[in-house]
Amino acid sequence: MKLFKPLYEKALSWSSHPRAEPILGGLSFVEAIIFPVMPEIMLGPMVLARPQKWARFATVSMVFSVLGALVGYALGHFAFAAVRPLLDSLGWLGRIDAQVAELQVIATQSPWSAFWILVLAGFLPIPLKIFTWASGIVGVPLLPFVASMLIGRGKRVYLLAGLIRLAGPRAEAALHRWIEWIGWAVVALIVLVIVYMKYIN
């Protein structure tokens, strides 16, 4: 059963749409707050479709991710108590509580102690919203928080877009060939993470 190849080809066709850039910005923004789909899903096909704009697309994704991260930070800081039941129902509360506890210990050492943890978070497959909410709950200083979001998310999207730009048609050919295996592997990884968070951790 082919599932991911048709979806990938559809995303590739959408990526050349005149409004693809605003869609990428919106996806990057809401992903940093609550949406579960990473913006790289849209960024990759956009760079393949218009490789000369790879830096522009990466910049759009990074800027709107940081803006969304600020909203997530504010929600964590001012509205966490009210949304705890919602986060619990989504299965995120345990992870957020664990990240809050870790950041609280680190933040007591120095205002910039949480910086490196948040920079690393930009490279991890853990949803960005976990870290933005946790940072707001703890009250990580805004300057280190914004700097870490710019570096962590920025390096990730620029690295992805740059690699796809360099690989060019070879990247598209490889994706077309292996997209089904990649897609099902990601699904399996997500299932394993959910099982781990719910029943093991």
Side-chain angles (χ1 to χ4, degrees):
M1 180 182 67
K2 290 188 176 182
L3 174 63
F4 294 99
K5 188 172 182 179
L7 291 175
Y8 168 77
E9 289 173 347
K10 180 60 72 173
L12 194 60
S13 67
W14 287 344
S15 67
S16 58
H17 190 276
R19 298 195 61 81
E21 199 170 307
I23 294 171
L24 174 65
L27 177 60
S28 301
F29 179 81
V30 297
E31 186 269 339
I33 305 168
I34 195 167
F35 200 59
V37 178
M38 293 187 297
E40 287 87 342
I41 298 297
M42 185 81 181
L43 177 63
M46 286 179 66
V47 176
L48 283 173
R50 290 183 283 180
Q52 72 279 6
K53 291 190 175 183
W54 72 274
R56 178 184 176 91
F57 294 152
T59 301
V60 167
S61 183
M62 180 190 69
V63 168
F64 280 90
S65 286
V66 173
L67 291 174
L70 287 170
V71 175
Y73 180 100
L75 289 171
H77 193 71
F78 296 109
F80 180 59
V83 297
R84 280 185 70 91
L86 172 61
L87 296 174
D88 190 25
S89 68
L90 292 172
W92 299 345
L93 187 58
R95 183 64 184 171
I96 289 177
D97 284 340
Q99 191 61 48
V100 166
E102 183 178 351
L103 284 174
Q104 282 175 332
V105 172
I106 294 170
T108 58
Q109 301 170 6
S110 162
W112 284 84
S113 296
F115 172 79
W116 297 109
I117 296 294
L118 295 172
V119 166
L120 179 62
F123 294 94
L124 298 176
I126 300 170
L128 182 63
K129 64 195 71 61
I130 299 293
F131 295 93
T132 61
W133 280 74
S135 297
I137 295 164
V138 172
V140 172
L142 273 177
L143 184 57
F145 174 75
V146 173
S148 67
M149 292 295 106
L150 284 169
I151 295 171
R153 179 48 64 94
K155 279 189 176 181
R156 196 165 95 181
V157 295
Y158 277 104
L159 181 62
L160 173 68
L163 287 174
I164 292 175
R165 171 67 179 94
L166 290 173
R170 289 176 296 176
E172 183 177 1
L175 280 173
H176 269 96
R177 181 178 180 183
W178 297 105
I179 191 64
E180 285 297 323
W181 287 97
I182 294 170
W184 289 113
V186 170
V187 169
L189 179 61
I190 292 171
V191 170
L192 288 173
V193 169
I194 292 172
V195 170
Y196 175 79
M197 292 179 65
K198 281 187 171 290
Y199 302 107
I200 300 175
N201 188 19

